C-alpha cells in the first residue's frame, strides 16, 4: 500500500503575537525558526518541523478541559526533566511540578505566554530518537 500516513508533520497552535512567541520558544525551548511571516512561523528542532505558530485574535488555545481541568494536546520529550524543569522555573515560565509515574515516566506541564499548555515527558524505558 503506497498511500498511508507516515507520521505527524507538525502541530499548529494559536498565538496572539508571532514575534513575541517566536522569541519565547527560542529562549525557553531552544527551537529553531524557519519560514516566519507576519502571521505565521515554523518552529523546528534538529531541522525537523515541530510547531507552527499561527496568529489569531480569537481566544482559543491548544488546550482542552477534562473534568473541568485544563489538559494539554502536545507532549514534548526531554532526556533530563529535572534540569529542564529547574531552568524553566528560573526563567519564570509557568510550570507545574514534576510527577513521577513509574515506568510511564516523569512529567510536568508548562504554559506559553498565550496560555497554550504543553506536557513535558521523560522516560528512559521508552527512548525516542530524534
Amino acid at each position: 500500500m503506497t498511500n498511508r500516513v507516515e507520521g505527524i508533520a507538525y502541530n499548529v497552535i494559536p498565538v496572539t503575537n508571532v514575534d513575541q512567541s517566536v522569541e519565547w520558544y527560542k529562549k525557553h525551548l531552544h527551537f529553531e525558526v524557519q519560514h516566519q511571516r507576519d502571521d505565521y512561523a515554523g518552529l523546528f528542532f534538529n531541522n525537523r518541523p515541530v510547531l507552527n505558530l499561527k496568529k489569531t485574535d480569537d481566544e482559543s488555545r491548544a488546550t482542552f478541559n477534562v473534568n473541568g481541568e485544563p489538559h494539554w494536546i502536545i507532549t514534548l520529550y526531554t532526556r533530563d526533566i529535572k534540569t529542564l524543569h529547574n531552568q524553566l522555573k528560573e526563567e519564570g515560565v509557568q510550570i507545574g511540578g514534576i510527577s513521577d509515574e513509574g515506568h510511564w515516566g516523569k512529567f510536568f506541564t508548562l504554559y506559553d505566554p498565550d496560555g497554550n499548555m504543553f506536557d513535558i515527558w521523560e522516560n528512559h524505558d521508552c527512548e525516542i530518537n530524534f
Side-chain angles (χ1 to χ4, degrees):
M1 184 147 115
T2 58
N3 293 330
R4 62 186 182 116
V5 173
E6 296 184 26
I8 295 173
Y10 53 83
N11 297 280
V12 179
I13 62 168
V15 298
T16 56
N17 184 312
V18 173
D19 291 334
Q20 176 184 343
S21 293
V22 161
E23 292 308 312
W24 189 91
Y25 281 92
K26 284 172 32 180
K27 176 181 179 181
H28 298 295
L29 300 178
H30 303 280
F31 283 115
E32 303 153 6
V33 180
Q34 296 185 21
H35 316 296
Q36 186 170 353
R37 300 186 303 252
D38 290 340
D39 66 343
Y40 164 90
L43 301 180
F44 284 62
F45 185 74
N46 289 337
N47 211 31
R48 293 182 185 173
V50 178
L51 294 174
N52 283 348
L53 308 177
K54 179 65 178 160
K55 183 176 179 355
T56 181
D57 294 326
D58 191 71
E59 292 190 24
S60 61
R61 296 295 165 251
T63 304
F64 63 95
N65 289 331
V66 174
N67 299 321
E69 296 293 322
H71 197 280
W72 63 91
I73 62 167
I74 299 170
T75 298
L76 304 171
Y77 182 75
T78 183
R79 290 184 173 97
D80 187 354
I81 200 164
K82 287 182 182 180
T83 299
L84 179 58
H85 188 267
N86 289 337
Q87 172 191 334
L88 293 172
K89 185 176 183 178
E90 289 174 6
E91 294 172 354
V93 174
Q94 182 182 352
I95 57 174
I98 296 175
S99 171
D100 188 339
E101 299 185 18
H103 77 278
W104 298 111
K106 296 178 182 175
F107 303 86
F108 72 87
T109 56
L110 67 83
Y111 287 90
D112 77 359
D114 283 290
N116 294 303
M117 183 183 199
F118 295 90
D119 181 47
I120 305 293
W121 175 47
E122 174 194 273
N123 188 336
H124 296 292
D125 293 336
C126 181
E127 192 69 22
I128 297 176
N129 296 312
F130 292 100

